[in-house]
Amino acid sequence: MPVEDKESEIIKMARRKIIAGNWKMNMTPSEAVALIEKLKPLTATDKADVVFCVPAIDIIPAVEAVKGSNIEIGAENMYFEEKGAYTGEISPAMLTDAGVKYVIIGHSERREYFAETDETVNKKVLKAFEHDLTPIICCGESLTQREQGITIDWIRQQIKIAFLNVTAEQAKKAVIAYEPIWAIGTGKVATTEQAQEVCAAIRVCISEIYDAATAEAIRIQYGGSVSAASAPELFAQPDIDGGLVGGASLKEDFGSIVNY
């Protein structure tokens, strides 16, 4: 086996699974703490990174609640400016000061309901890295785009713009979440083959932007109605490094997904 192939295989084996819950607009601060206390023993593992991405108002009590556990707290969004007259927004410095480690960027719901674009996603990714936040960069296609056969082209465009001016060293630390929009909150799950095909294409795209080593280092999640039943087969795929979990992250089933 050539040296480059050996190095690639070592990196692939070293990719640590990451299971992140996206709570969306659910859970008051007191409810968040209660849920965390219930989930802590169910998600205890040293074999994967576990992240709860919670509403902004829940961040501080959530950070306190997970202390002493293996769980990290992430945010569901952030703005790309340091400070200023941006009513209702939250800055990266606010997140890091509160103890946040991860931030979801470019979720399809943010794109659909709040007019986020590939360009604003890129600005947020760059700002996240400036503050040592790990971005969970979302991409995904609509049902129409899949039916028209442009899924891979669409995803490649999202990825290429998201990573504009991002260095290879930064890219290696990023997390990409592939979420087919037609499978988010619908109960529909992409087949294992569909999910693996797109995640593999994302890795190829990253290798074209950077190099093979960067592509093998980056972690790619699948999201879209992930359940305890679907997780084992999905996460066993060579290019799927965990999941971004929506509704199931608010239930005890999340423990089964983490410990698949």
Side-chain angles (χ1 to χ4, degrees):
M1 183 183 291
V3 173
E4 312 86 66
D5 291 346
K6 287 183 179 179
E7 290 177 350
S8 175
E9 193 63 30
I10 290 170
I11 293 171
K12 188 184 299 184
M13 291 171 60
R15 285 202 308 267
R16 183 175 168 85
K17 290 287 193 285
I18 175 167
I19 319 297
N22 177 15
W23 288 13
K24 307 191 179 185
M25 197 176 73
N26 294 291
M27 297 289 134
T28 65
S30 59
E31 289 171 340
V33 171
L35 179 60
I36 288 170
E37 292 303 327
K38 183 183 295 184
L39 290 178
K40 273 198 295 190
L42 302 177
T43 56
T45 180
D46 60 0
K47 296 180 180 179
D49 292 336
V50 181
V51 185
F52 293 165
C53 295
V54 306
I57 197 170
D58 295 343
I59 287 173
I60 290 176
V63 168
E64 287 298 314
V66 300
K67 282 184 176 177
S69 75
N70 61 304
I71 301 165
E72 297 285 2
I73 295 299
E76 297 179 12
N77 184 38
M78 64 163 223
Y79 200 51
F80 51 76
E81 296 289 355
E82 297 288 343
K83 61 178 67 175
Y86 306 105
T87 301
E89 291 293 343
I90 187 166
S91 75
M94 293 173 183
L95 296 180
T96 54
D97 190 66
V100 167
K101 303 295 184 184
Y102 294 82
V103 57
I104 297 173
I105 294 177
H107 192 279
S108 63
E109 291 158 1
R110 295 295 311 175
R111 296 175 191 254
E112 180 180 359
Y113 303 134
F114 304 101
E116 291 198 8
T117 65
D118 291 337
E119 288 73 22
T120 57
V121 167
N122 175 244
K123 289 181 180 180
K124 291 183 179 187
V125 169
L126 293 171
K127 187 57 68 172
F129 280 124
E130 281 183 29
H131 288 264
D132 293 322
L133 288 162
T134 298
I136 300 175
I137 305 163
C138 298
C139 60
E141 83 283 10
S142 68
L143 184 58
T144 299
Q145 288 158 347
R146 174 161 283 277
E147 290 176 341
Q148 292 302 309
I150 62 171
T151 292
I152 302 301
D153 291 337
W154 183 263
I155 299 297
R156 284 173 60 87
Q157 174 178 301
Q158 290 181 316
I159 295 300
K160 286 189 174 185
I161 297 176
F163 282 85
L164 186 64
N165 296 321
V166 174
T167 69
E169 287 309 305
Q170 289 173 329
K172 289 176 184 177
K173 300 173 185 176
V175 177
I176 297 173
Y178 165 56
E179 295 194 306
I181 298 170
W182 49 271
I184 298 175
T186 63
K188 297 179 181 179
V189 183
T191 66
T192 302
E193 292 74 22
Q194 288 172 327
Q196 164 60 22
E197 177 190 24
V198 177
C199 290
I202 291 170
R203 207 173 297 283
V204 169
C205 185
I206 292 295
S207 73
E208 292 170 358
I209 298 171
Y210 301 103
D211 50 44
T214 303
E216 290 296 349
I218 199 165
R219 295 188 289 179
I220 303 173
Q221 300 174 307
Y222 170 76
S225 299
V226 176
S227 67
S230 63
E233 187 174 346
L234 284 166
F235 299 169
Q237 300 308 302
D239 290 294
I240 300 178
D241 305 310
L244 182 58
V245 184
S249 69
L250 300 170
K251 304 172 185 176
E252 292 184 9
D253 273 1
F254 190 59
S256 298
I257 295 173
V258 168
N259 291 286
Y260 70 96

